[in-house]
Amino acid sequence: MIQSTLSENLVTSYLGANYQIGTDTGSISLQINQYSEPLARLLTASKQPCAAIISAYNPFSRLLNDKENRALHESLMHFLSSCSYAMIESLNTDSAEVWPAEKSFFVLGLDLNTSKSLGQRFNQNAIVWIDNDAIPRLILLR
């Protein structure tokens, strides 16, 4: 893994989290570094070679209240919409239940550099990036 200023516990939380594309019964559940056939089908159907999962919740892992997090999420949604990115509202949950669930967006067609820039723009420690191999990878930004 690359050098990071993030604590080992925080990175472990990110690695163990469940990243759920969509918020309804047809959602796709992803784990870091694990191939997902439903994700592969989604990428193929969308004709996109890559995607990212990006949240605006709890910048730099500083817990904010629901109102603040919702406002940041809306800001991210407006930014993505203004750039005409195809997106699906999603949810990230901590399997250890240390961190509260965080809303996010699964954004189709984001290359790695754009994904990193977007995560940094919204003060995130990490993003999840998916290449055409349909394996979600944790990308540390700090």
Side-chain angles (χ1 to χ4, degrees):
M1 194 178 312
I2 64 169
Q3 281 296 101
S4 173
T5 60
L6 302 176
S7 75
E8 186 177 325
N9 287 344
L10 187 57
V11 173
T12 299
S13 290
Y14 293 153
L15 290 169
N18 178 56
Y19 299 91
Q20 179 182 315
I21 301 171
T23 57
D24 59 12
T25 55
S27 64
I28 299 171
S29 182
L30 304 176
Q31 300 295 313
I32 297 297
N33 298 325
Q34 292 182 18
Y35 172 78
S36 168
E37 180 63 36
L39 176 58
R41 287 192 303 268
L42 176 59
L43 289 173
T44 299
S46 69
K47 296 181 173 48
Q48 294 293 333
C50 54
I53 297 173
I54 299 176
S55 177
Y57 267 51
N58 302 315
F60 298 132
S61 296
R62 196 179 70 247
L63 286 173
L64 300 181
N65 65 45
D66 286 341
K67 183 178 180 183
E68 292 169 310
N69 277 324
R70 280 194 305 271
L72 290 169
H73 185 71
E74 290 291 319
S75 179
L76 175 58
M77 181 183 70
H78 290 299
F79 180 82
L80 293 169
S81 295
S82 72
C83 295
S84 300
Y85 288 119
M87 62 185 160
I88 301 171
E89 191 166 44
S90 300
L91 189 66
N92 310 333
T93 56
D94 177 13
S95 59
E97 299 182 359
V98 172
W99 290 89
E102 295 184 355
K103 289 184 178 182
S104 63
F105 289 100
F106 174 80
V107 188
L108 289 154
L110 281 186
D111 64 64
L112 181 57
N113 287 333
T114 304
S115 299
K116 288 172 153 180
S117 294
L118 190 54
Q120 290 165 337
R121 178 185 184 105
F122 284 89
N123 299 319
Q124 295 300 297
N125 288 328
I127 58 162
V128 175
W129 190 70
I130 300 117
D131 202 349
N132 61 1
D133 61 5
I135 298 174
R137 290 184 173 78
L138 181 67
I139 306 297
L140 301 178
L141 302 176
R142 296 182 49 210

